[in-house]
Amino acid sequence: MKTLLLVSLLFSWASYAENISLTTQNINAEQSQKVTNWLNTGVKVVESTLTPIPHAQLKITVKGYPDAMEPVPWGQILREHPIEVLLYVNPNMPLSSFINDWTLYHELSHLYFPYLDYQNFWLSEGFATYMQYLAMFRGEIINSSQFIERIEQGLLRGKIKTQEKPGKLNEVSADMWQQRAFKRVYWSGAAYFMEADLQLIEKGKDLTEIIASFSHCCLRKTMTGGELVATLDKLSQTSIFSALHHQYRYRVDFPDINQQQLRVLAKHYQTKPGLSEQQQGSKVIAD
């Protein structure tokens, strides 16, 4: 299976966005250089964790919002042509504040997934939520203890929000904007992918390998949650994703991921080599 994944990745690297165009608004020349450095760091970290971003064309738009109290108060993916990453930032904050913020890694992780039906948004948001910290850990932006601590804190927020926003996960996911149930949806989905990853690691595989292969061989603009998990099962030669999907989508409780399980994930990814710079390739260039 590892040979199949490697062949798939090698064959597909020509489709990545070698040059990512950057447009800035309300940002001066000095701030633009800082933003460019931050974005290139983010792209490098995410690509090293997964694989080159699987889009032949990609644009990033960064809008300055100097009154913001945090470096990146908002980000989203605009699934147009070409696909666009939109980020609002406080351009006055230092580069280190941007690099230590999770938003960019979260949004870039979305590029490896299709747009899913509302009842399965917990899958796409959960994947990006898990990846935001895994990429930061793999990129040595946070250490093993910080990786575990941040995920534990996120899971706790998800558990609290589950008590406040009861109901089946798929139903809450479809109505998460109205209910303001983001933390429940995001962190339930993150737990799903952590649990899948733990099972894959037991079989000598891991989630990043499967998603890397999926994003280059099978990624479509839109998919249903059922189509996604069936494809991931096929690529992993398991039934892990569909079995967990059947369990998670109807659950009314919050998943239990303990610290020992997080240590297993940290230990696995701490020793796994990432892609080399030659294998990554994407670069953000300001217009």
Side-chain angles (χ1 to χ4, degrees):
M1 186 61 187
K2 288 187 177 180
T3 301
L4 174 61
L5 290 172
L6 179 60
V7 170
S8 174
L9 292 175
L10 289 171
F11 181 79
S12 304
W13 276 340
S15 66
Y16 69 76
E18 184 174 358
N19 291 327
I20 301 170
S21 66
L22 168 63
T23 301
T24 59
Q25 299 177 19
N26 199 26
I27 293 174
N28 65 35
E30 182 180 352
Q31 293 166 340
S32 180
Q33 184 58 56
K34 176 173 58 181
V35 165
T36 302
N37 292 340
W38 162 55
L39 294 173
N40 274 308
T41 297
V43 168
K44 179 180 178 180
V45 164
V46 171
E47 289 195 335
S48 179
T49 302
L50 290 165
T51 188
I53 293 171
H55 297 275
Q57 290 182 290
L58 177 65
K59 62 184 292 188
I60 299 179
T61 299
V62 179
K63 298 184 178 183
Y65 186 52
D67 294 331
M69 301 300 293
E70 53 188 317
V72 194
W74 178 256
Q76 68 179 117
I77 300 296
L78 304 177
R79 295 183 180 271
E80 302 172 350
H81 184 73
I83 196 165
E84 179 179 3
V85 182
L86 174 61
L87 299 159
Y88 287 84
V89 307
N90 182 339
N92 297 315
M93 292 201 174
L95 177 61
S96 59
S97 295
F98 288 108
I99 290 174
N100 289 317
D101 184 276
W102 56 263
T103 310
L104 176 62
Y105 315 108
H106 181 101
E107 299 304 332
L108 291 177
S109 296
H110 275 306
L111 299 173
Y112 296 82
F113 258 44
Y115 188 80
L116 297 175
D117 52 302
Y118 287 169
Q119 288 197 348
N120 282 288
F121 262 32
W122 60 273
L123 284 170
S124 53
E125 293 297 350
F127 173 72
T129 300
Y130 177 32
M131 281 300 116
Q132 72 194 33
Y133 291 129
L134 184 58
M136 293 176 76
F137 174 47
R138 298 273 291 146
E140 300 183 346
I141 296 167
I142 58 176
N143 60 31
S144 177
S145 297
Q146 291 169 320
F147 169 72
I148 292 171
E149 180 182 6
R150 293 192 188 191
I151 290 181
E152 282 185 319
Q153 291 173 350
L155 291 169
L156 178 58
R157 292 193 296 271
K159 184 175 183 178
I160 293 171
K161 187 58 69 172
T162 300
Q163 296 168 350
E164 297 175 0
K165 305 295 181 181
K168 295 178 181 177
L169 179 58
N170 62 339
E171 295 174 355
V172 175
S173 179
D175 195 34
M176 70 175 176
W177 298 273
Q178 199 74 14
Q179 293 196 44
R180 306 294 295 175
F182 302 108
K183 290 183 178 67
R184 180 190 175 183
V185 172
Y186 284 36
W187 282 101
S188 291
Y192 166 90
F193 281 105
M194 284 183 253
E195 193 168 343
D197 207 0
L198 287 162
Q199 293 185 36
L200 289 167
I201 289 169
E202 288 183 354
K203 297 180 179 295
K205 309 173 185 181
D206 68 43
L207 180 65
T208 61
E209 293 177 359
I210 305 306
I211 298 300
S213 183
F214 165 80
S215 66
H216 286 288
C217 79
C218 314
L219 178 61
R220 303 201 307 265
K221 186 175 181 179
T222 62
M223 296 177 78
T224 67
E227 290 171 335
L228 173 66
V229 299
T231 305
L232 297 179
D233 274 352
K234 184 176 180 181
L235 289 171
S236 63
Q237 297 181 326
T238 72
S239 59
I240 290 171
F241 293 95
S242 57
L244 284 173
H245 182 254
H246 180 75
Q247 172 190 347
Y248 267 69
R249 61 180 169 168
Y250 299 126
R251 70 185 308 163
V252 296
D253 63 326
F254 190 78
D256 181 23
I257 304 293
N258 60 48
Q259 190 176 94
Q260 179 57 39
Q261 290 173 305
L262 296 179
R263 288 199 189 101
V264 171
L265 293 171
K267 181 178 180 180
H268 173 79
Y269 283 108
Q270 193 164 35
T271 57
K272 179 181 177 178
L275 295 184
S276 68
E277 291 188 12
Q278 292 79 11
Q279 292 171 325
Q280 293 165 37
S282 299
K283 186 178 177 81
V284 178
I285 299 176
D287 290 344

